[in-house]
Amino acid sequence: MKKNNAQQDNNKKPKSDNGFYQFCISNLAEKDSFGGGMESYEVPIRKRIKELESSLKLIDVKKIDKVKEQIKKLKEMLLNSVDMKIYFYLRQRMGYGNLVRLNESQTTIADKLILPSASVKRSFRKLKKIGVISYQIESKRMVNVRISPFLEWRGDGETHNNVIHELVESFKAPPFAKSKDYQEAMKDIA
């Protein structure tokens, strides 16, 4: 009896034939060990920082400031604890279609999380820049806050497909895609 149930489970096909299952398998599953591309985004930055820090001992004194500036820029590209707190705060409020229900300003969020307001504002900008979230500003308030449908999804496959096409400007590429800023920061110092 147990073998028959196990054989039946193995013969079952995925429920979704609308392409969403295929999208999840090809785009979300096992892309990296965490965060839908975060590892492939951050590890090269961390390696580059390590290389630059070790090169400080060997380079010409005139180039030290330039290298230190590049290290600072690279460190700013990494996700920090405030960025992660903001992401999880938004994720807890994410509804159908990855739309985030926010009725408060960034300053109010900073107060709720006991974080510096400037850090929260920087985190929102960073998360938007690297494609983790999208939002518009209207009357000094964020509207239409959405978590990238490339990271995770709440909703059905058809809605997911529609959202991907609607938000092509907001999410031109999956999160952590290598932007021009990323490429520039990773260049060798001449």
Side-chain angles (χ1 to χ4, degrees), residues 40-89:
S40 63
Y41 171 81
E42 283 203 345
V43 169
I45 294 172
R46 292 183 189 285
K47 284 180 182 176
R48 186 70 182 127
I49 290 169
K50 190 174 180 179
E51 289 169 5
L52 290 171
E53 287 175 339
S54 63
S55 75
L56 282 173
K57 301 168 191 161
L58 307 172
I59 63 171
D60 183 9
V61 175
K62 296 175 187 173
K63 292 184 181 179
I64 287 178
D65 288 339
K66 190 174 181 182
V67 172
K68 284 182 178 180
E69 186 60 35
Q70 188 177 13
I71 291 170
K72 181 182 175 193
K73 204 178 219 182
L74 288 167
K75 285 183 177 181
E76 288 170 358
M77 292 172 65
L78 296 171
L79 293 180
N80 59 39
S81 63
V82 175
D83 301 331
M84 296 307 289
K85 286 174 185 162
I86 296 302
Y87 172 72
F88 287 115
Y89 182 84

Side-chain angles (χ1 to χ4, degrees), residues 26-182:
S26 63
N27 290 301
L28 302 178
E30 298 182 28
K31 276 292 187 185
D32 284 306
S33 62
F34 64 94
M38 192 163 97
E39 182 176 338
S40 63
Y41 171 81
E42 283 203 345
V43 169
I45 294 172
R46 292 183 189 285
K47 284 180 182 176
R48 186 70 182 127
I49 290 169
K50 190 174 180 179
E51 289 169 5
L52 290 171
E53 287 175 339
S54 63
S55 75
L56 282 173
K57 301 168 191 161
L58 307 172
I59 63 171
D60 183 9
V61 175
K62 296 175 187 173
K63 292 184 181 179
I64 287 178
D65 288 339
K66 190 174 181 182
V67 172
K68 284 182 178 180
E69 186 60 35
Q70 188 177 13
I71 291 170
K72 181 182 175 193
K73 204 178 219 182
L74 288 167
K75 285 183 177 181
E76 288 170 358
M77 292 172 65
L78 296 171
L79 293 180
N80 59 39
S81 63
V82 175
D83 301 331
M84 296 307 289
K85 286 174 185 162
I86 296 302
Y87 172 72
F88 287 115
Y89 182 84
L90 295 174
R91 192 172 180 271
Q92 286 178 325
R93 286 149 183 79
M94 182 176 76
Y96 191 84
N98 285 23
L99 199 57
V100 179
R101 289 168 181 79
L102 275 186
N103 295 324
E104 61 257 338
S105 67
Q106 292 177 3
T107 305
T108 305
I109 294 169
D111 291 343
K112 278 184 177 180
L113 298 175
I114 320 296
L115 294 169
S117 188
S119 296
V120 169
K121 289 177 182 184
R122 235 184 340 268
S123 287
F124 270 98
R125 284 192 306 271
K126 184 192 295 183
L127 291 172
K128 184 176 182 179
K129 186 175 185 176
I130 62 175
V132 172
I133 63 172
S134 74
Y135 59 86
Q136 287 85 39
I137 302 289
E138 290 179 8
S139 302
K140 297 184 180 185
R141 295 189 67 85
M142 290 183 305
V143 295
N144 301 323
V145 179
R146 199 179 289 262
I147 293 178
S148 173
F150 291 105
L151 269 180
E152 57 184 298
W153 180 248
R154 287 208 181 134
D156 60 78
E158 185 177 334
T159 305
H160 184 263
N161 192 37
N162 292 339
V163 167
I164 292 285
H165 293 296
E166 283 174 26
L167 300 176
V168 72
E169 282 303 308
S170 299
F171 300 110
K172 293 177 185 172
F176 313 110
K178 310 305 191 288
S179 67
K180 288 179 186 175
D181 292 340
Y182 181 97

